Amino acid sequence: MAHHATAFTIIHLNTGLFSRPAPPVPSSSSSSLSFNTSSCSFFSYNSQLRLSKRNADTWRHSMFVSTKPVLQNEALAFNGKPILTQVPDNVLVTPLPDSSACYLGVSSLETSSRHVLKLGLVRNLRLLCLFRFKMWWMIPRVGDSGSDIPVETQMLLMEVADESPDASPSYVVFLPVLDGDFRTSLQGNSSDELEICVESGDPAVVTSECLKAVFVNYGNHPFDLMKKSMKILEEQTGTFAVRESKQMPGMLDCFGWCTWDAFYHGVNPQGIKDGLKSLSDGGTPAKFLIIDDGWQDTSNEFQKEGEPFIEGSQFGGRLVSIKENHKFRKTKESRSTDAPKDLKQFVSDIKSSFGLKYVYVWHALMGYWGGLVPNADGTKKYNPKLIYPVQSPGNLANMRDISLDCMEKYGVGAIDPERISQFYDDLHSYLVSQGVDGVKVDVQNILETVAAGLGGRVSLTRHFQQALEDSIAANFKDNSIICCMGQSTDSIYHSKQSAITRASDDYYPKDPATQTLHIAALAYNSIFLGEVVVPDWDMFYSLHDAAEFHAIARAVGGCGVYVSDKPGHHDFTVLKRLVLRDGSILRAKYPGRPSRDCLFSDPVMDGKSLMKIWNLNKCTGVVGVFNCQGAGSWPCTQQKQVSAEMTVSGQVSPADVEYFEEVSGTKNLWTGDCAVYSFNQGSMRRLNKDESFDVRLKTLECDVYTISPIKVYDEKIEFGAIGLVNMYNSGGAVESVACECEGSGGTTIISIKGRGEGSFGAYSSRKPKCCFVNSKEESFVFRQEDNLLTVKVVSTTINWDVQICY
C-alpha cells in the first residue's frame, strides 16, 4: 500500500499522553503476520516517535482551539461538549493538522481478520445513521443513543445542542473508512456503546490494530461538514475522488427510458421500439435508453425448460459469451423470428428512428448474476472459478436478500482477478463496436463475499474497480457508466472516476408500502453518496398511484430522470412537467438532500414529520415537500406501522434552501425577501428569507416550491424570476436574469434567458408596460393579489429570451 505522508500524532484518549500503540500479540502461524506491511496504515516505532516529538507542541497549542478534539477523562469532546464517554484505553486518536478532524483507531490483544471493539458511550445526542440494511443498499435511521445505531452503519451524524436557547446546534460526523486492506463499519449495542467492526473478508489477512479506522470531524453546518470531510478524506487516502472533480455523463441531462419494469427479463427489440415510439408520439421523447437485464447470452442449469419456475433460480444464470442473445441477433434458433441481424443493426436502427443520443446496456460486475460459465468457449479465457459467496456477520445481522441467498446456493462463476481487465476490455470494446454508448454495472458488492483467499474485500474491490474504470475510460466516451448495488464503502471509497451510483433499493411499482420509503432513503443517502457521485434516484412509472410523488422527487433530486413505463402506459401530464419537447430535462444543480430541520426526524414512521428536499438552480432555489407517513415501515425495525392515510402539518421556509447566497447574490440588489411559488396551488407569496408558512399534506401528497430572491432593479422594480410554472422544477428553466436601464425616468428592461416552453412566471412589484419573447411582443397576465406575472413562451427553438419592459 502507498502510505500518504501526512503528519499526525497518536494520543491515548483517556490520558492525552503520547505513546506507542501496544504491539500485536505474536501468532504461531507465519501467515498471521501478513498484515505487517499492507493490512493497515502502520508506522514503525521510530517514525511514530519522531512524528510525536515534532507535533507535540502543535497539539498542546491546539488543545485551546475550540473546534479541536479534546481528549481527557475518558471522553472525546468538541468545543467543550462530550461526544463519546467511557472511552476504552485501546482507542487511539490521530488529529489532523489545520482542521477539526481526527482519526479514531483501535488496537486489540488478539490478531484476527475481524474485530468488533468498543469506542465509547453515546447518549442524549440526536443522531442520523446510514446503514446497510441489505448487503447492497443503505437506509437511514434516527435516534438519540448508541443502542439506536444499527449494524453496518457507514455514516453517523450527530447533532450537538448548544446550551443557549438562541444558538444553532453543531454537528459531528463519524465516517468509518478503509485502512489498508481493512474496511470498518459502526454499530451500537444494548448498553448504548458505539462499537467498530474492522474486517478484511479473508481469514488470511489479519491484524491486531487499525489506526485510521474512523474519520471524525466537527462543524456548525451539516452540509459543509460533509463536503469538507469528504474532501479531506480524498486528499488523505487518494483512493477516490469527490463529485465536483468528475466528468459528468451527458445522459444525466436527457430524459431516459429503462426496459426493466417494462419487460423484466422478457426485453426484446420490438418491445423497445414500441416503448420508444409511444414516448415520442406523446411529446416526451427518450434521448437515453438502458437495455436492462435480458439482452445477454446466458444459460441457467437451475431453470429447466418445461418445469415450474423456482423463485430465485434466475440468480443462478451465468454468462456464456460477451455477445447478445438470440433475441438481438440472427442465429440458427432465431432465423424465423424478427430478430435483427445483430445488436449493432438494432442500436443503429433505434438511434436513427427515435433520435436517441445514448444507448446503455446492463451487465453485472462479474458479467452476470451467477458470473461466467466455467469452461465455455466464450468464457474460459477469463478462467472463471465457481465460488460460493459467504456473507459477513454484519450483513447477516440485518436483512437477507433473495438474490444473494440464491447466489450462495448456486455459486458464482467468479472471474480470475488476473483476467478481469481483459474481460472488461473485451466486453466494452465489443459493445462500442455495436454502437453502444455506455453501461450500467450492477451487483457490485458481490466482491466482499468472494474475497477469501484473494487478499480480502478491500484489495479485491480496489483491483476490480480500477480495471472497470480503466476500461470505461479506454472504450467509452463521456465517462459512460452507472454503478448499481454498490453502496458498500468498499466501492464508494474506490470511486475515482465513476460519477453516478444508484442511491436506493429498487423501485417496486407493485408494492405500495415502499413508495414513501424509496423517496426518503434517496434523500438521506444522498447526504453521504452525493459528495462522491451524482446519486441515481432510479426509474419509476409515470402511470401509477404514486407517479407525481416520484416525479417531483426526481425534479428536485438533481439526478437523471428516466421511467420504466410499459409501452403505451404513460401519463403525459406528469411527464411533460419533467421533460422538454427536445427530450432534455431541467436538472437541479446538486444532489437533493433533506432540509436541515429534517435531518434527525423520521419522515416515514414518526407520524408527525414531513419530508423536505432542497436544491438550487442557476437563479432560484427549490424545495419539494412530501408526506411519507402512513404508507410503509422501515425494514429492520421492531416497530411496524399500519398503513393508514394521515394528514401531517409542517412548515416551509426559504431558509430550507442551503447556499441560497449562490442565487441571491449581492445585498445591494437582493431585498432579503423571496418569492415562493407553489406548483400545485399555482399561488405565490412573498416572505423574508427566515419566515415560514404552514403546509398540510395527506399521505403520498406532495408539492414543490420554487424560491426566487426578489431583487431591486433600476432602484424601482422589485423582481424575482420563477421560471416555467408548468414544470415541476420551474426555476430550472431560467439560465440568467439581467437588467437594462435607459437612464433616469426611462424604460427599464429585465431580460430573462431560459429554455423550454409553456408559461413563464415571475414576481413583479408592478405591472409592466409590455413583454417580448424572442423579440416578438406577447400578451401577459399580471395578478395584482400576489404580484404574479405570467407570459406564454412558445418558441420554434428550445431557448428563449423574455424581455419585460417597465
Side-chain angles (χ1 to χ4, degrees), residues 199-230:
E199 58 188 337
S200 71
D202 186 340
V205 180
V206 298
T207 189
S208 64
E209 59 183 357
C210 197
L211 301 184
K212 297 169 111 176
V214 184
F215 177 91
V216 188
N217 202 4
Y218 170 91
N220 58 12
H221 187 296
F223 304 106
D224 276 351
L225 176 62
M226 285 302 303
K227 178 185 278 294
K228 291 175 182 177
S229 295
M230 297 305 284

Side-chain angles (χ1 to χ4, degrees), residues 18 38 41 59 86 187 232 628 697 723:
F18 303 105
S38 65
S41 301
W59 171 254
Q86 299 182 25
Q187 60 192 55
I232 293 171
C628 299
L697 296 171

Side-chain angles (χ1 to χ4, degrees), residues 28-88:
S28 59
S29 170
S30 60
S31 64
S32 68
L33 298 178
S34 64
F35 67 89
N36 284 346
T37 59
S38 65
S39 296
C40 284
S41 301
F42 297 146
F43 284 79
S44 69
Y45 173 66
N46 289 335
S47 65
Q48 266 184 20
L49 187 61
R50 184 166 61 250
L51 287 170
S52 296
K53 288 179 178 178
R54 184 172 67 198
N55 285 297
D57 291 338
T58 301
W59 171 254
R60 289 183 182 122
H61 174 74
S62 67
M63 290 284 283
F64 298 99
V65 179
S66 64
T67 57
K68 285 288 183 181
V70 176
L71 315 166
Q72 58 188 11
N73 301 324
E74 298 184 341
L76 170 65
F78 287 89
N79 202 21
K81 299 178 179 63
I83 307 303
L84 293 177
T85 60
Q86 299 182 25
V87 178

Side-chain angles (χ1 to χ4, degrees), residues 249-379:
M251 46 68 57
L252 275 171
D253 294 309
C254 295
F255 173 56
W257 181 50
C258 177
T259 64
W260 179 242
D261 288 308
F263 303 107
Y264 299 111
H265 293 99
V267 61
N268 61 85
Q270 187 57 50
I272 292 175
K273 291 180 180 180
D274 291 343
L276 292 171
K277 183 177 187 303
S278 62
L279 285 168
S280 182
D281 289 349
T284 57
K287 297 298 179 181
F288 162 58
L289 170 70
I290 301 176
I291 304 176
D292 213 292
D293 190 358
W295 69 272
Q296 291 171 289
D297 184 13
T298 63
S299 69
N300 193 330
E301 62 183 292
F302 309 105
Q303 286 184 349
K304 303 297 184 182
E305 188 173 350
E307 294 185 3
F309 173 74
I310 301 172
E311 180 63 29
S313 60
Q314 66 269 31
F315 301 111
R318 310 193 205 286
L319 202 66
V320 176
S321 74
I322 61 173
K323 293 186 177 182
E324 65 274 24
N325 60 33
H326 63 89
K327 291 185 291 183
F328 292 87
R329 166 185 291 272
K330 287 283 188 188
T331 64
K332 292 179 180 179
E333 294 80 12
S334 64
R335 279 178 183 169
S336 61
T337 71
D338 293 329
K341 175 185 175 184
D342 53 20
L343 185 61
K344 182 176 182 179
Q345 183 192 60
F346 175 67
V347 171
S348 175
D349 182 11
I350 58 177
K351 282 185 174 181
S352 61
S353 298
F354 302 105
L356 282 168
K357 291 184 177 180
Y358 307 98
V359 174
Y360 281 33
V361 299
W362 179 99
H363 72 78
L365 192 75
M366 286 286 187
Y368 201 63
W369 292 96
L372 274 56
V373 175
N375 300 317
D377 290 341
T379 61

Side-chain angles (χ1 to χ4, degrees), residues 452-659:
L454 296 172
R457 57 190 292 173
V458 175
S459 175
L460 191 63
T461 301
R462 182 187 308 121
H463 181 70
F464 270 66
Q465 187 78 10
Q466 181 175 341
L468 177 63
E469 293 191 338
D470 286 350
S471 179
I472 296 296
N475 290 293
F476 295 112
K477 301 175 182 178
D478 202 37
N479 196 19
S480 300
I481 179 173
I482 301 170
C483 297
C484 193
M485 299 177 77
Q487 288 189 8
S488 170
T489 47
D490 305 63
S491 296
I492 296 165
Y493 288 130
H494 282 120
S495 176
K496 284 190 173 182
Q497 295 170 208
S498 303
I500 306 173
T501 294
R502 260 279 295 284
S504 71
D505 196 351
D506 287 8
Y507 164 71
Y508 296 109
K510 299 176 184 178
D511 186 352
T514 64
Q515 307 306 311
T516 58
L517 308 182
H518 189 84
I519 301 307
L522 286 165
Y524 283 95
N525 288 345
S526 294
I527 297 170
F528 176 36
L529 296 176
E531 298 303 332
V532 182
V533 294
V534 173
D536 172 42
W537 286 32
D538 204 9
M539 65 200 87
F540 69 100
Y541 277 170
S542 72
L543 188 60
H544 191 273
D545 291 343
E548 185 161 77
F549 204 77
H550 285 279
I552 287 181
R554 273 64 174 184
V556 300
C559 52
V561 175
Y562 58 108
V563 295
S564 196
D565 294 348
K566 296 179 185 295
H569 292 72
H570 316 288
D571 185 334
F572 287 107
T573 299
V574 169
L575 290 178
K576 288 181 179 180
R577 294 168 177 174
L578 283 171
V579 186
L580 304 184
R581 58 180 168 85
D582 69 343
S584 65
I585 62 170
L586 303 178
R587 188 166 67 92
K589 287 173 64 174
Y590 299 122
R593 287 159 286 181
S595 62
R596 201 179 300 203
D597 60 348
C598 289
L599 288 176
F600 303 99
S601 60
D602 183 351
V604 170
M605 292 182 64
D606 69 9
K608 60 183 181 181
S609 301
L610 293 174
M611 172 92 251
K612 294 186 291 184
I613 303 173
W614 66 271
N615 216 319
L616 283 169
N617 298 300
K618 290 182 179 179
C619 300
T620 62
V622 61
V623 178
V625 187
F626 307 82
N627 182 355
C628 299
Q629 305 284 350
S633 302
W634 288 118
C636 303
T637 58
Q638 293 182 349
Q639 177 189 359
K640 295 300 177 185
Q641 182 171 255
V642 178
S643 295
E645 183 179 288
M646 60 177 69
T647 299
V648 177
S649 298
Q651 292 190 318
V652 175
S653 169
D656 291 330
V657 180
E658 304 286 342
Y659 310 114

